[in-house]
Amino acid sequence: MIQVQNLSKSFQNIQAVNDISFTINKGEIFGFLGPNGAGKSTTLHMMSTIIKSDEGSIYIDGIATNDHPSACKQLIGVVPQEISLYEELSAYQNLMFWGNLYGIQKDVLKERIHTTLELIGLLDRKKDLIKTYSGGMKRRINIAAALLHQPKVLFMDEPTVGIDPQSRNHIFEVIETLNEQGMTIVYTTHYMEEVERLCDRIAIIDSGKIIAQGTQTELKELVPTKESIQLEYSLLSENNLQELQKLLPYSINADKNKICIEGSVQELSNVITVSNELQLSIKDIQLNKVNLEAIFLHLTGKQLRD
Ligand SMILES: Nc1ncnc2c1ncn2[C@@H]1O[C@H](COP(=O)(O)OP(=O)(O)OP(=O)(O)O)[C@@H](O)[C@H]1O
Ligand SMILES: [Mg+2]
């Protein structure tokens, strides 16, 4: 659906995007994960034809953005990082404004505003002025504005920044519904939980460069540490440990009443069953997961967020 090849962009002496390439498949949710200033918005701005690249090419549904920006604009919906709504107008009036910019015929536009407001769950608030909306509701209208011309691809730049968990979940559900309906989605964030929840494939970006990309499973393989389970028992004798070792097919590291086993959550039920068989009472369980935060730390030596 989207091919980006050797894309670069500098602002004066800042290299915002430095020779990045990636492909986004039709129907997937592709995540851009990176810290502040990584180059996420700049990349999306070039893909949305808002700014021109210095080098490289972008194809959307086979069309080159540099050669045919207007045709590309019809294919994409853009949810900007900053909310771009008129505070003194109602949600309905704002959406009318955006729909008119796309030249959508009035009757069709009214119909689309209705279905879009229904999708984002704000149909009953359509007459209220934007200034009376919460941050999360504004974010949802910001998304609605990007959908009116029925794009094939949706670019979302940090659409959940500064909102409460409930609105965030609502936005996730909207994204999942749109994706089920066939929409390809590009999603930028610096929250690894968001890409873990939403994205099929992920590009990790730092200082203008893609430092890793792939599915979550592929990315986890980049880290040498393995996932592990740690259990603490009320009491674990030397005898108990030997029995555990006999019954469990993993090598066990033990320290006082604690044991640690290399393995992921799938192994947990087996460990609990065996512990119960041996009548060992479990005091605490800890899962040490390899998450995208750990991958970022491994690849850059930095935390994803300060
Ligand atoms: N118009 C501009 N003029 C000058 N520098 C810019 C401009 N836009 C972006 N930059 C710089 O380019 C770099 C990348 O910025 P960008 O906005 O793409 O990062 P980002 O990953 O979207 O960050 P954030 O998570 O904070 O939104 C930063 O160093 C930024 O200061
Ligand atoms: Mg940004």
Side-chain angles (χ1 to χ4, degrees):
M1 188 75 200
I2 300 174
Q3 284 89 31
V4 171
Q5 289 154 0
N6 306 106
L7 198 65
S8 291
K9 178 75 186 175
S10 295
F11 297 103
Q12 292 94 39
N13 54 354
I14 298 169
Q15 177 103 45
V17 172
N18 186 356
D19 192 23
I20 63 172
S21 300
F22 53 91
T23 299
I24 299 174
N25 302 320
K26 196 171 184 332
E28 76 179 347
I29 306 182
F30 187 88
F32 258 106
L33 178 69
N36 289 134
K40 303 182 296 293
S41 295
T42 306
T43 304
L44 274 196
H45 291 161
M46 289 188 278
M47 291 166 71
S48 331
T49 76
I50 296 167
I51 59 171
K52 277 208 146 109
S53 64
D54 298 336
E55 312 250 356
S57 57
I58 303 165
Y59 290 87
I60 296 176
D61 215 9
I63 306 172
T65 53
N66 278 340
D67 301 338
H68 305 284
S70 308
C72 285
K73 273 191 188 130
Q74 287 298 327
L75 297 175
I76 58 181
V78 181
V79 183
Q81 186 167 355
E82 306 300 333
I83 288 170
S84 51
L85 300 170
Y86 293 102
E87 293 273 325
E88 300 295 332
L89 296 182
S90 69
Y92 186 82
Q93 288 167 323
N94 266 283
L95 294 176
M96 270 303 215
F97 170 81
W98 285 109
N100 281 326
L101 276 190
Y102 275 98
I104 304 165
Q105 197 242 324
K106 200 163 180 194
D107 289 344
V108 178
L109 179 56
K110 279 184 179 169
E111 183 70 40
R112 288 196 192 156
I113 291 176
H114 185 93
T115 44
T116 313
L117 283 170
E118 210 164 32
L119 171 77
I120 58 157
L122 286 174
L123 191 55
D124 56 334
R125 299 288 306 263
K126 70 174 183 179
K127 290 192 176 141
D128 297 350
L129 301 188
I130 291 296
K131 67 179 179 190
T132 67
Y133 276 36
S134 71
M137 288 158 67
K138 287 180 191 173
R139 288 261 166 216
R140 275 143 72 186
I141 298 292
N142 216 32
I143 295 171
L147 295 171
L148 296 171
H149 62 294
Q150 298 188 319
K152 285 190 179 177
V153 189
L154 189 63
F155 295 159
M156 308 184 88
D157 199 357
E158 307 207 33
T160 60
V161 165
I163 65 174
D164 59 279
Q166 205 186 344
S167 293
R168 177 184 284 211
N169 272 333
H170 205 294
I171 289 179
F172 288 169
E173 281 162 21
V174 169
I175 292 171
E176 279 158 354
T177 306
L178 288 168
N179 185 241
E180 276 160 24
Q181 292 168 357
M183 179 93 77
T184 306
I185 294 166
V186 185
Y187 189 98
T188 85
T189 182
H190 52 258
Y191 295 113
M192 60 131 196
E193 307 83 15
E194 297 196 344
V195 284
E196 281 182 344
R197 149 102 193 244
L198 289 172
C199 300
D200 301 306
R201 287 191 310 124
I202 299 151
I204 302 179
I205 181 165
D206 185 44
S207 305
K209 279 205 162 289
I210 290 181
I211 52 173
Q213 58 180 314
T215 62
Q216 295 191 38
T217 316
E218 285 165 352
L219 292 175
K220 281 179 182 173
E221 280 162 11
L222 299 173
V223 184
T225 47
K226 298 279 180 295
E227 305 210 310
S228 64
I229 306 168
Q230 197 176 308
L231 277 96
E232 184 177 357
Y233 298 103
S234 301
L235 192 67
L236 184 73
S237 68
E238 194 55 38
N239 220 354
N240 296 145
L241 182 60
Q242 281 171 12
E243 284 174 313
L244 272 176
Q245 189 70 81
K246 257 187 250 161
L247 292 171
L248 290 171
Y250 330 105
S251 87
I252 300 176
N253 282 319
D255 180 24
K256 296 197 187 94
N257 294 329
K258 286 185 190 165
I259 63 164
C260 188
I261 291 162
E262 234 178 52
S264 56
V265 69
Q266 285 85 344
E267 266 81 57
L268 192 57
S269 70
N270 191 16
V271 178
I272 293 174
T273 310
V274 168
S275 300
N276 286 341
E277 277 170 17
L278 295 174
Q279 294 182 330
L280 292 170
S281 106
I282 297 169
K283 218 170 132 189
D284 191 29
I285 298 177
Q286 220 176 318
L287 285 171
N288 302 316
K289 296 177 88 172
V290 172
N291 55 26
L292 291 168
E293 190 91 43
I295 296 166
F296 189 81
L297 184 67
H298 173 71
L299 293 174
T300 65
K302 297 185 297 191
Q303 301 282 349
L304 197 48
R305 272 168 289 153
D306 303 325

